Amino acid sequence: MSILKSWSQKFLFTDFYQLTMSQVYFDYNIHEIEVQFDYFFRSYPNYGSHQAGFCIFAGLETFFEWLSQAKPKKQEIEFLKSLKNNSLKPLFKKNFLTWLKDIDFSTLNIEAIPEGRVVHPHVPVVSIKGPFALAQIIETPLLNILNYQTLIATKAARIKEAAKGQIVIDFGLRRAQGFGGNAGTRGAIIGGVDFSSNTGTCFCLGLTPKGTHAHSLVQAFIALGYSEEEAFWAFAKTFPDNCILLIDTINTLESGLPNAIKTFKKLKTLGKNPIGIRIDSGDLAYLAVQCYKELKKAGFENCVIVLSNQLDELVIHQILTQIEQEAQEYNLNPKEIISKLVFGVGTRLITSAGSCSLDGVYKLTGVKTKNSWKPALKISDSPAKTLIPGDKKTYRLIDTRGKAMADLICLKKEHPFDKEKFTIFHPQDSKIFRTLYKKEILKADLLQKPIQQNGKIVYEFPSLIEIKKQREQDLKELDQGVRRLINPHIYHVSLSEKLCHLREKLIKNYRNKTLTVKHSLD
Amino acid sequence: MSILKSWSQKFLFTDFYQLTMSQVYFDYNIHEIEVQFDYFFRSYPNYGSHQAGFCIFAGLETFFEWLSQAKPKKQEIEFLKSLKNNSLKPLFKKNFLTWLKDIDFSTLNIEAIPEGRVVHPHVPVVSIKGPFALAQIIETPLLNILNYQTLIATKAARIKEAAKGQIVIDFGLRRAQGFGGNAGTRGAIIGGVDFSSNTGTCFCLGLTPKGTHAHSLVQAFIALGYSEEEAFWAFAKTFPDNCILLIDTINTLESGLPNAIKTFKKLKTLGKNPIGIRIDSGDLAYLAVQCYKELKKAGFENCVIVLSNQLDELVIHQILTQIEQEAQEYNLNPKEIISKLVFGVGTRLITSAGSCSLDGVYKLTGVKTKNSWKPALKISDSPAKTLIPGDKKTYRLIDTRGKAMADLICLKKEHPFDKEKFTIFHPQDSKIFRTLYKKEILKADLLQKPIQQNGKIVYEFPSLIEIKKQREQDLKELDQGVRRLINPHIYHVSLSEKLCHLREKLIKNYRNKTLTVKHSLD
């Protein structure tokens, strides 16, 4: 069977050890005990010379699409049945595979932060409660889907911020990881990209695909004995209402631009307005200024100027900075030029260049025995890797300026705002804390929502437009320092007093080799 | 329609401009003229602190799978029909869409270098000849599929080189780009990884999936009131023939290792041999030495030691170097220890961390008019970006030591080895050349093979095992300096005299604004 069919093996789209561990749980009869796993990430993407100060969560609906289609197929069970151990006997036991073929992922209770929301390290983004083996098996697809779309949504949000509201188009498909490009386009759209050239995904998501033309069009016309101008005119005749011309195949200012202007004048005589030009090489800021100057002179000051070629948030930021300075040397208004720009972003968006993976993890945080939940801990030498145990909820605290001041993680059943004054703690170091007064807080926004409960989806997945509004709202609530492209201010993620104390106690017990705590979590 | 269905829109898995350009070609009646496009890359992946000195080509069979399934579906044509231009009229014309729905990609004649072969910059890896619009439309999927698998195969080859023949397992699925992880696993296997944990792809490729267990198994047992030792025993009982224990959940040397040894002793009483341990954190080299020492003392010196946690070629190289030094302090033979190691490689393999895209491009190099081929050129200010025009073939020259001395690109119809002595030229600078004598060359290995001709596949795609043999053979032919992990010696890629002169002439014509050459290419 071909690699192209791998996508259809949805149940098997997982790491093998999830299945061998499930066999162990089955043999120990703990495969159906209730457990809790949390999905969270530990740090913002660090692109080397710059680092994100927030992430945009994406991938949740895709994960649920996977979940709804992940019931094992007969051939998947047959494959597992065919595997042998090192004594050449069947690796998996018959009664386990019989149980496995009928598993039902809808029995998992799932809470999550909605897509498009700003999210921060340590905050549980998705929490899964349900039968142990089921919650274990979904680890890999959950991480795969949420890590990557969140990574790309975050990169897209940064690029859109740098673009100061100008349109951004995803051109990344050719440098994506195979079909992963489809998920990348969805993440990019959630993060703030306006359009994509990925035609199949646009079809599937109800979007309008966008594009201009390639150098090969001009090259082919020239090889056939035509000129660049004739190539442009061929394009303009076919798309008189949608004419954007790529002007850097020969020489941007000496050939492409004058030929484009000639073409636009001819279009004008047909009563059509050209849309614009694209520049894909050279000093993009300088060329944008020069092209705007000539276009304006020729009466085409409304043309858009699409820029592409290894763009990312820093390159775009620098282009805008340079235009601000350079435009004035030609007595042009830089704001006018910038308002014409469109950014085509490819490789560095779809790969999140500089930080090509999100360190999202999926960790066991609780186990239910005899009807009471016990928090599960994993200690690490690195405090940042020690888990936040138990069943939790998170509030985003909005201050009286309307700005997000902190995300407060607390125990599910506590009421942190009962008192006029309360203390919040650093997520790794309980010696660092801060007292807050209720009156300082305008709003406490509960981030996690129930998504799947008692076998049913209880959540209406928002449209991409609604997700976009949520993202814009969340970004507005962030301080400018946190939104900064380089060296952003670190946003506060804190623990409630009760949660901090529970964790401290568990760590102490753990260090005393007691390793389990007697009290149940409530 | 959901994002998860995007994979099934095979024809639309392309950039939108391929389709708008095709409409232009159709209107100009040049959509079916014969053209040639070459796929090649311009530079080896550069990982920052280190750089590849060769690439391993992968993805060809996957591309042909895509091609065989890419005939437009009715719903894909309907989608294109529904798109509007800026005057709200249909963007695409009816007669174009009627033509489009019946296109047949098997009419493309395709040559390529086989998968698993060592490949170098500028060498045409795939050449496509056929109807212009068809050759244009496949650009995006071709780049997507070949760039990514080649990138990962190259990273895998480096990791396998660093591992000095020890087994390497792909654990990357959770950090891959959605379904792109499947293509990544295939690339990793072609590049030299021995196994993968990606169960679905192993199923599809006929491989045996591998894995150990996760921390969550130990954590859960502890939360349920059991001990680490009991967790280990549960695993051992279920898989007495395949027992590998993850020993770093609590403390590797104080808890995990002694508990693993106790478990192995119990297994032994059942007549079973344990397979080994896995370590996923800490100083892996130090811990491997310590664990080997204790395992040997307990009579388990044959146990494998699986190492994982952010491994790549440099980290593995350093682990081996450290073990070479450190083992002797404990009177242990480092070779013995190293022979027990297995490397589980995740994020940094599947994302090709440090260089997360290959700069492979697909460029028009020839156009056929009036029954003769004309070479197409694109000049760039950067000589490295100026195309090598025309229809070409490439020989790998093997010297009398049996080592590859250069890849020689020449015109398809020339016979470069007719003379006893010939000159080869630098691919960008014709002032740099070198004279070779026929007697210096043991073998001239023609790299490109016909794959699809006159509507038929004329090539038998090799099995993964055959591809692996090819890779091993090609690597053996490389000088050690080229294989070096850091700062490798630059392998020579050269042009024949005829090809170099053709290119020079075209550049001169181009600069003289003649832009086309009169003579046909032969």
Side-chain angles (χ1 to χ4, degrees):
Chain A
M1 193 186 304
S2 86
I3 181 77
L4 228 62
K5 287 277 165 68
S6 301
W7 62 265
S8 69
Q9 309 311 316
K10 297 217 178 66
F11 171 67
L12 293 185
F13 187 68
T14 195
D15 285 310
F16 191 57
Y17 75 0
Q18 314 291 8
L19 302 169
T20 49
M21 282 193 282
S22 296
Q23 170 76 74
V24 175
Y25 303 157
F26 184 85
D27 284 356
Y28 239 72
N29 198 29
I30 56 172
H31 58 300
E32 287 182 333
I33 64 164
E34 271 199 87
V35 300
Q36 175 172 347
F37 279 89
D38 286 347
Y39 167 71
F40 61 96
F41 60 94
R42 291 186 175 123
S43 57
Y44 302 111
N46 185 336
Y47 310 98
S49 56
H50 49 305
Q51 182 170 20
F54 61 88
C55 285
I56 301 291
F57 177 51
L60 189 68
E61 189 176 358
T62 309
F63 172 67
F64 274 88
E65 284 168 13
W66 178 86
L67 209 60
S68 72
Q69 298 172 33
K71 199 168 179 65
K73 289 198 196 90
K74 205 182 155 202
Q75 59 177 4
E76 293 180 301
I77 297 292
E78 289 300 318
F79 174 64
L80 298 179
K81 204 188 250 176
S82 75
L83 297 173
K84 303 276 181 278
N85 70 16
N86 287 323
S87 294
L88 304 178
K89 300 275 166 53
L91 185 71
F92 292 105
K93 289 173 192 136
K94 254 190 190 165
N95 54 357
F96 170 66
L97 292 178
T98 303
W99 171 82
L100 193 67
K101 83 173 170 37
D102 290 323
I103 57 170
D104 178 1
F105 290 113
S106 76
T107 58
L108 295 167
N109 288 333
I110 303 179
E111 288 190 355
I113 297 178
E115 291 188 275
R117 293 221 68 163
V118 161
V119 286
H120 298 285
H122 306 298
V123 173
V125 180
V126 179
S127 293
I128 308 260
K129 274 184 179 175
F132 193 6
L134 272 63
Q136 184 76 65
I137 288 168
I138 65 166
E139 177 183 26
T140 309
L142 181 144
L143 289 173
N144 173 288
I145 294 168
L146 302 185
N147 278 341
Y148 176 57
Q149 284 197 38
T150 301
L151 180 77
I152 301 308
T154 301
K155 189 74 173 175
R158 292 171 58 75
I159 289 169
K160 182 72 184 173
E161 295 259 280
K164 305 252 182 223
Q166 294 307 113
I167 285 175
V168 178
I169 310 178
D170 153 41
F171 284 167
L173 188 57
R174 62 188 58 196
R175 299 290 165 85
Q177 293 184 1
F179 287 144
N182 296 323
T185 292
R186 186 175 186 274
I189 294 285
I190 287 177
V193 155
D194 300 279
F195 297 102
S196 173
S197 67
N198 176 343
T199 314
T201 297
C202 286
F203 172 38
C204 291
L205 295 179
L207 306 169
T208 302
K210 294 280 177 190
T212 60
H213 69 78
H215 297 116
S216 58
L217 183 138
V218 175
Q219 262 185 287
F221 273 75
I222 289 174
L224 289 167
Y226 300 105
S227 66
E228 185 183 51
E229 191 188 343
E230 285 167 301
F232 284 174
W233 184 236
F235 193 85
K237 266 201 311 192
T238 294
F239 298 113
D241 295 286
N242 291 51
C243 182
I244 298 183
L245 299 171
L246 175 64
I247 63 170
D248 71 334
T249 305
I250 299 168
N251 182 301
T252 301
L253 296 181
E254 287 174 31
S255 173
L257 182 62
N259 284 331
I261 288 173
K262 280 188 217 162
T263 309
F264 292 167
K265 284 182 175 163
K266 272 168 90 175
L267 261 184
K268 199 89 191 175
T269 64
L270 301 183
K272 297 291 186 184
N273 287 317
I275 303 299
I277 55 170
R278 176 161 79 99
I279 316 170
D280 188 46
S281 59
D283 180 340
L284 297 178
Y286 169 76
L287 292 172
V289 171
Q290 297 304 317
C291 288
Y292 177 76
K293 181 162 70 78
E294 297 304 318
L295 286 167
K296 191 176 178 181
K297 209 185 283 174
F300 298 109
E301 66 270 27
N302 289 326
C303 274
V304 304
I305 301 173
V306 183
L307 303 180
S308 54
N309 189 21
Q310 297 295 323
L311 299 186
D312 66 9
E313 62 271 47
L314 285 201
V315 177
I316 291 173
H317 175 77
Q318 289 192 323
I319 287 171
L320 298 191
T321 308
Q322 188 179 333
I323 289 175
E324 293 273 1
Q325 292 164 351
E326 198 152 326
Q328 296 165 19
E329 294 174 26
Y330 302 94
N331 286 320
L332 295 169
N333 180 350
K335 289 210 170 23
E336 257 175 35
I337 304 177
I338 289 169
S339 74
K340 301 302 175 296
L341 299 183
V342 170
F343 298 98
V345 186
T347 310
R348 302 182 70 80
L349 166 63
I350 207 76
T351 64
S352 182
S355 183
C356 49
S357 63
L358 184 75
D359 72 352
V361 293
Y362 179 80
K363 292 289 175 186
L364 185 77
T365 51
V367 173
K368 195 173 179 183
T369 48
K370 297 176 198 138
N371 282 319
S372 78
W373 281 93
K374 288 191 177 165
L377 193 70
K378 182 184 178 297
I379 292 229
S380 171
D381 292 339
S382 141
K385 282 197 164 184
T386 298
L387 288 182
I388 303 173
D391 200 10
K392 302 170 290 288
K393 59 184 173 184
T394 311
Y395 291 100
R396 179 154 301 159
L397 306 183
I398 308 295
D399 68 16
T400 51
R401 300 170 307 150
K403 293 289 178 190
M405 62 194 293
D407 279 11
L408 176 63
I409 311 173
C410 39
L411 289 169
K412 191 63 133 315
K413 293 185 178 171
E414 72 172 302
H415 303 280
F417 311 116
D418 275 357
K419 294 179 212 149
E420 282 309 307
K421 168 178 141 169
F422 55 96
T423 311
I424 65 177
F425 291 79
H426 188 279
Q428 273 99 44
D429 186 348
S430 62
K431 289 185 292 298
I432 305 174
F433 53 86
R434 182 178 162 199
T435 301
L436 284 184
Y437 292 85
K438 210 166 143 183
K439 64 179 183 217
E440 293 176 72
I441 301 165
L442 187 71
K443 193 173 83 178
D445 183 5
L446 184 62
L447 296 180
Q448 293 90 358
K449 307 284 176 206
I451 313 288
Q452 178 168 289
Q453 280 185 328
N454 305 318
K456 283 201 185 109
I457 302 279
V458 296
Y459 178 73
E460 198 174 329
F461 288 100
S463 68
L464 288 174
I465 291 168
E466 291 165 318
I467 291 173
K468 178 187 160 154
K469 278 188 194 146
Q470 175 71 65
R471 183 197 72 240
E472 287 170 348
Q473 169 65 24
D474 273 20
L475 286 175
K476 250 185 237 157
E477 283 177 356
L478 280 185
D479 267 317
Q480 281 304 329
V482 175
R483 293 172 75 166
R484 197 161 57 204
L485 290 180
I486 301 171
N487 195 20
H489 181 70
I490 299 301
Y491 182 81
H492 286 269
V493 173
S494 303
L495 306 187
S496 72
E497 191 162 357
K498 280 193 179 152
L499 178 56
C500 183
H501 287 172
L502 168 68
R503 193 194 197 205
E504 290 290 300
K505 188 170 163 183
L506 284 171
I507 293 174
K508 205 183 281 176
N509 286 344
Y510 202 94
R511 293 238 158 88
N512 291 340
K513 306 274 177 196
T514 316
L515 298 173
T516 52
V517 276
K518 297 295 175 235
H519 88 268
S520 76
L521 230 192
D522 53 17
Chain B
M1 195 185 304
S2 86
I3 181 77
L4 228 62
K5 288 277 164 69
S6 302
W7 62 266
S8 69
Q9 308 312 317
K10 298 217 178 64
F11 172 67
L12 293 184
F13 187 69
T14 194
D15 285 311
F16 191 57
Y17 76 179
Q18 315 290 9
L19 301 170
T20 49
M21 282 193 281
S22 296
Q23 170 75 75
V24 175
Y25 304 157
F26 185 86
D27 285 355
Y28 238 72
N29 198 27
I30 57 172
H31 58 299
E32 286 182 333
I33 63 164
E34 271 199 88
V35 300
Q36 175 171 348
F37 280 88
D38 286 347
Y39 168 71
F40 61 95
F41 60 95
R42 291 185 176 124
S43 57
Y44 303 111
N46 185 335
Y47 310 97
S49 56
H50 48 307
Q51 183 171 19
F54 61 88
C55 284
I56 300 292
F57 177 51
L60 188 67
E61 189 176 359
T62 309
F63 172 66
F64 274 89
E65 285 168 13
W66 178 88
L67 208 59
S68 71
Q69 298 172 33
K71 199 170 179 64
K73 290 198 198 91
K74 205 183 155 201
Q75 59 177 5
E76 292 179 303
I77 297 291
E78 289 300 317
F79 174 64
L80 298 179
K81 203 189 254 177
S82 75
L83 296 173
K84 303 277 182 277
N85 70 16
N86 287 323
S87 294
L88 302 179
K89 300 273 165 55
L91 185 71
F92 292 104
K93 289 172 190 139
K94 254 190 190 165
N95 53 357
F96 169 67
L97 293 177
T98 303
W99 171 82
L100 194 67
K101 82 175 171 37
D102 290 324
I103 57 171
D104 178 1
F105 290 113
S106 76
T107 59
L108 296 167
N109 287 334
I110 304 179
E111 289 190 355
I113 298 178
E115 292 188 274
R117 294 221 67 163
V118 160
V119 285
H120 297 286
H122 307 297
V123 173
V125 180
V126 180
S127 293
I128 309 261
K129 274 184 179 175
F132 193 6
L134 272 63
Q136 184 76 65
I137 288 169
I138 63 165
E139 177 183 27
T140 310
L142 180 143
L143 288 175
N144 173 288
I145 294 168
L146 303 185
N147 278 340
Y148 176 57
Q149 284 196 40
T150 301
L151 180 76
I152 301 308
T154 301
K155 190 74 173 175
R158 292 171 58 74
I159 288 169
K160 184 70 184 174
E161 295 260 280
K164 305 253 182 222
Q166 294 305 113
I167 286 176
V168 178
I169 309 178
D170 154 41
F171 285 167
L173 189 55
R174 63 188 58 195
R175 299 289 165 84
Q177 293 184 2
F179 287 145
N182 296 322
T185 293
R186 186 174 185 275
I189 294 285
I190 287 178
V193 154
D194 301 278
F195 297 102
S196 173
S197 68
N198 177 342
T199 313
T201 297
C202 286
F203 172 38
C204 291
L205 295 179
L207 306 169
T208 303
K210 294 280 177 191
T212 59
H213 68 80
H215 297 115
S216 57
L217 183 137
V218 175
Q219 262 184 286
F221 272 75
I222 288 173
L224 289 167
Y226 300 106
S227 66
E228 185 182 50
E229 192 188 341
E230 284 166 302
F232 285 175
W233 184 236
F235 193 85
K237 265 199 313 189
T238 294
F239 297 112
D241 294 286
N242 291 50
C243 182
I244 298 183
L245 299 171
L246 174 65
I247 64 170
D248 71 334
T249 305
I250 299 169
N251 183 301
T252 302
L253 296 180
E254 286 174 32
S255 176
L257 181 62
N259 283 330
I261 289 173
K262 279 187 218 164
T263 308
F264 293 168
K265 284 182 175 162
K266 272 168 89 176
L267 261 183
K268 198 92 191 173
T269 64
L270 301 182
K272 297 291 185 184
N273 287 316
I275 303 300
I277 56 170
R278 175 160 79 99
I279 315 171
D280 188 45
S281 59
D283 180 340
L284 296 178
Y286 169 77
L287 292 173
V289 172
Q290 297 304 317
C291 287
Y292 177 76
K293 180 162 70 80
E294 297 304 319
L295 286 166
K296 191 177 178 181
K297 209 185 283 176
F300 298 109
E301 66 270 28
N302 289 326
C303 273
V304 304
I305 301 174
V306 183
L307 302 180
S308 54
N309 190 22
Q310 297 295 324
L311 298 186
D312 66 9
E313 62 270 47
L314 285 201
V315 177
I316 291 173
H317 175 77
Q318 289 192 324
I319 287 171
L320 297 191
T321 308
Q322 187 179 335
I323 289 176
E324 293 272 3
Q325 293 164 350
E326 197 153 325
Q328 296 165 21
E329 294 175 27
Y330 301 95
N331 287 319
L332 295 169
N333 180 351
K335 290 209 168 27
E336 258 175 34
I337 304 177
I338 290 169
S339 74
K340 302 303 175 296
L341 299 183
V342 170
F343 298 99
V345 185
T347 309
R348 302 182 69 80
L349 166 63
I350 207 76
T351 64
S352 182
S355 183
C356 49
S357 63
L358 184 76
D359 71 352
V361 292
Y362 179 81
K363 294 288 176 186
L364 185 77
T365 51
V367 172
K368 194 175 181 182
T369 48
K370 297 177 196 134
N371 281 320
S372 78
W373 281 94
K374 290 193 174 161
L377 193 70
K378 182 185 179 295
I379 291 227
S380 171
D381 292 338
S382 142
K385 282 198 165 185
T386 299
L387 288 182
I388 303 173
D391 199 12
K392 303 170 289 288
K393 60 186 173 182
T394 311
Y395 291 100
R396 180 154 300 158
L397 306 182
I398 307 295
D399 68 15
T400 51
R401 300 171 307 149
K403 293 288 179 189
M405 61 195 293
D407 279 10
L408 176 63
I409 311 173
C410 38
L411 289 169
K412 192 63 133 312
K413 291 185 178 171
E414 72 172 302
H415 303 280
F417 311 115
D418 274 358
K419 296 179 212 148
E420 282 310 306
K421 170 177 137 169
F422 54 96
T423 311
I424 65 176
F425 291 78
H426 189 279
Q428 273 99 43
D429 187 347
S430 62
K431 289 185 294 297
I432 305 174
F433 54 86
R434 182 179 162 199
T435 300
L436 284 185
Y437 291 86
K438 210 166 145 184
K439 65 178 183 214
E440 293 177 73
I441 300 164
L442 187 72
K443 192 174 82 178
D445 183 4
L446 184 62
L447 295 179
Q448 293 90 357
K449 307 284 177 206
I451 313 289
Q452 178 168 285
Q453 279 184 329
N454 306 319
K456 283 199 185 111
I457 302 279
V458 295
Y459 177 74
E460 198 176 327
F461 287 100
S463 68
L464 289 175
I465 291 167
E466 289 165 321
I467 292 174
K468 179 187 158 150
K469 279 188 194 146
Q470 175 72 65
R471 183 197 72 241
E472 287 171 347
Q473 169 65 25
D474 273 20
L475 285 175
K476 252 185 236 158
E477 284 177 356
L478 280 185
D479 266 317
Q480 280 304 329
V482 175
R483 292 173 76 166
R484 197 161 56 205
L485 290 181
I486 300 171
N487 195 22
H489 181 70
I490 299 300
Y491 182 81
H492 287 269
V493 173
S494 303
L495 307 187
S496 72
E497 192 162 354
K498 280 193 179 151
L499 179 56
C500 183
H501 287 173
L502 169 68
R503 194 193 196 206
E504 289 290 298
K505 188 170 163 184
L506 283 172
I507 292 174
K508 205 184 279 174
N509 287 345
Y510 202 95
R511 292 240 158 88
N512 292 340
K513 305 273 175 198
T514 319
L515 296 173
T516 53
V517 276
K518 298 295 174 234
H519 90 267
S520 77
L521 229 193
D522 52 21

